[in-house]
Amino acid sequence: MRDPALKELGQGVFDRFCKDMDDNLREMGIGDLKVPREMKKIGEAFYGRSQAYQAALGEPGDEALVEAITRNIYGGSLAEMAAARRLAVYMRGVAGDLAGQTTADLAAGQMRFPDPAAVP
């Protein structure tokens, strides 16, 4: 994260996400004793994907990102390669756009995202 002021905000969003996931598991009928195991699985999936996407975004070109997207979003289906490439281009555009936005705007929830329809 580029600005330490955003760390608390990011942690708050993540905490809210986790609470919402916990609540949804309980609503779906997952028992109290099983919820922690399910949350652990969700956490492992989140952190694994997060690390894969961050590493891929740090590499030149989109091949590593396309590979991670194909594996994690499209279940490894090579039939979805064009969609994975398009999503990789969009993800890289979003990352670049967010990096250029001010801390004040991000903290106020005033984020700008590129138009997905503009991705070739």
Side-chain angles (χ1 to χ4, degrees), residues 31-109:
D32 288 344
L33 296 176
K34 195 169 179 192
V35 167
R37 279 183 270 152
E38 293 299 316
M39 287 300 294
K40 182 178 179 184
K41 285 184 203 174
I42 291 168
E44 288 170 351
F46 171 81
Y47 284 115
R49 286 171 175 85
S50 178
Q51 288 175 345
Y53 298 141
Q54 284 181 339
L57 284 167
E59 292 185 22
D62 287 333
E63 288 311 308
L65 189 54
V66 168
E67 182 181 313
I69 291 168
T70 300
R71 180 179 59 249
N72 293 322
I73 296 175
Y74 296 107
S77 172
L78 297 179
E80 300 296 339
M81 192 63 68
R85 288 191 187 288
R86 190 165 179 259
L87 184 53
V89 169
Y90 182 74
M91 286 174 69
R92 197 169 291 281
V94 168
D97 281 6
L98 288 174
Q101 295 176 40
T102 68
T103 298
D105 284 347
L106 295 174

